[in-house]
Amino acid sequence: MTEIKLGKNGDYWQAVWYDSKNKRKRKNIGRVGKLTKTQAKAKIVRMQKKFAITPAIADAGKAPTLKAWEERYFSIRTDLAESTRKIQKIVFKQLMDEFGEDTRMDRVSADAAMEWVANIEGSENWRRNVAAKCKTFWVWAIKAKRVFDSPFEAVSTSPVEIEADWYFVTDQDMERMLGACTTDRWRCYIALCRWAGLRSEEARTVTWRDVDWDAHTIMVAPKDGKVTTKKRRRVVPVVPKLYEMLLSCFERSDGSARIVDLGDNNHNRDMKALIKRAGVKSYNKPFHTLRKNCESEWLERYPTMDVCQWMGHAPAVAMKHYKKSTAQLMQQVTEQVDSREAEAMELARLMLEFDNETMQEAKEFIHRLAEIIEEKKAGS
């Protein structure tokens, strides 16, 4: 195991060790005036533990600048979806605006990282999201042996729990919304999100060839063929009312390959206008809410693992973001309670109708029955 010793270079405490090629390595761990010798030794102990867990970081070379690592990072992260790549580029820009693009990654201190994150404009969840992205940048740099620790390691990145803004789109709401549609494409768009749980983009890219009319299923595949955590091939069941709608729309289709051939612009705006035109109460995230409603209903009726496969995400995601008790389920429970209360009242009424003589006869019958059972047991 690599041994790390405490050294000093002028005004700085240093960690000193030898890598796998017996080359001497040094790293500044703090100013002598701000860090006592005991505190410096404690840092050495923590570094020693990290080296024990990940021996390869002992061979880490000179850390790259933020700009150099941005270029390298995106060249090796070919697995990123385009939307994720855009967000991470925004975070990288904020990072370089704060610390400078020529600043080496190992020069960003934990204190500076925490202070920067705490003062980022926006919501608490956005700040934590930025910190999570930065933590990812450093994790990949550690994997590449360019740095051996992250200044964002102690920064909170778990999102703050927020009460979900739920609206349950009822059958009556769906009837009004579908009636307000002026084209079959829009009717299918809304129906695929509400009755098949498709994401908005998935509903716009699924084709007629993806529908298995015999099996009553739809094959959902990534638009560009690239598999990500949110985009992977899956098979979704088609409920009877959706099947009937798709079949009738297919018979009237104009030959377009896509079921919902609407392009990629202004769908949320148009959907909000349609909801208003239909006389349905306005709600946030018009398409995503339809998907959440679908999954919430399915989770009440079918096994969780099956539903999650149909929806394309993990059970933990379903429980946290998609499951909500519906009014129908609440009614079923209350009606069941009411029926049990009625049964209990009826039983009490029948018992009150028995006179004392009848009750005595019943007791004697039960007593005699018990004796017969005991005699049979003794005989066997």
Side-chain angles (χ1 to χ4, degrees), residues 69 73-74 77 80-81 83-95 105 116-117 120 125-141 150 152 155-159 230:
W69 182 244
Y73 174 81
F74 286 115
R77 291 302 307 272
L80 293 176
S83 57
T84 304
R85 182 180 292 268
K86 287 180 180 178
I87 294 174
Q88 291 194 355
K89 280 186 175 292
I90 291 172
V91 174
F92 245 121
K93 185 179 184 306
Q94 290 182 323
L95 189 64
M105 294 183 75
W116 172 59
V117 170
I120 293 174
N125 274 342
W126 169 245
R127 286 190 285 273
R128 293 187 177 213
N129 190 17
V130 169
K133 299 292 185 292
C134 291
K135 190 175 289 188
T136 299
F137 302 153
W138 261 264
V139 165
W140 278 79
S150 168
F152 293 91
V155 181
S156 298
T157 56
S158 299
K230 289 186 177 180

Side-chain angles (χ1 to χ4, degrees), residues 204 262-270:
R204 296 196 308 273
L262 292 173
D264 296 322
N265 297 319
N266 298 321
H267 300 116
N268 279 326
R269 180 200 64 188
D270 295 342

Side-chain angles (χ1 to χ4, degrees), residues 195-196 236-237 294-302 307 310-311:
W195 292 334
V236 180
C294 176
E295 180 163 6
S296 192
E297 285 185 334
W298 279 355
L299 286 169
E300 292 174 6
R301 304 172 188 173
Y302 309 112
V307 173
W310 302 337
M311 300 299 292

Side-chain angles (χ1 to χ4, degrees), residues 279-299:
V280 174
K281 180 182 176 182
S282 176
Y283 59 88
N284 292 329
K285 298 183 179 180
F287 291 106
H288 188 59
T289 296
L290 298 178
R291 171 175 159 83
K292 289 166 68 174
N293 284 180
C294 176
E295 180 163 6
S296 192
E297 285 185 334
W298 279 355
L299 286 169

Side-chain angles (χ1 to χ4, degrees), residues 73 76-82 84-85 140 226-229:
Y73 174 81
I76 59 179
R77 291 302 307 272
T78 57
D79 59 313
L80 293 176
E82 187 57 34
T84 304
R85 182 180 292 268
W140 278 79
K226 183 184 291 186
V227 176
T228 67
T229 54

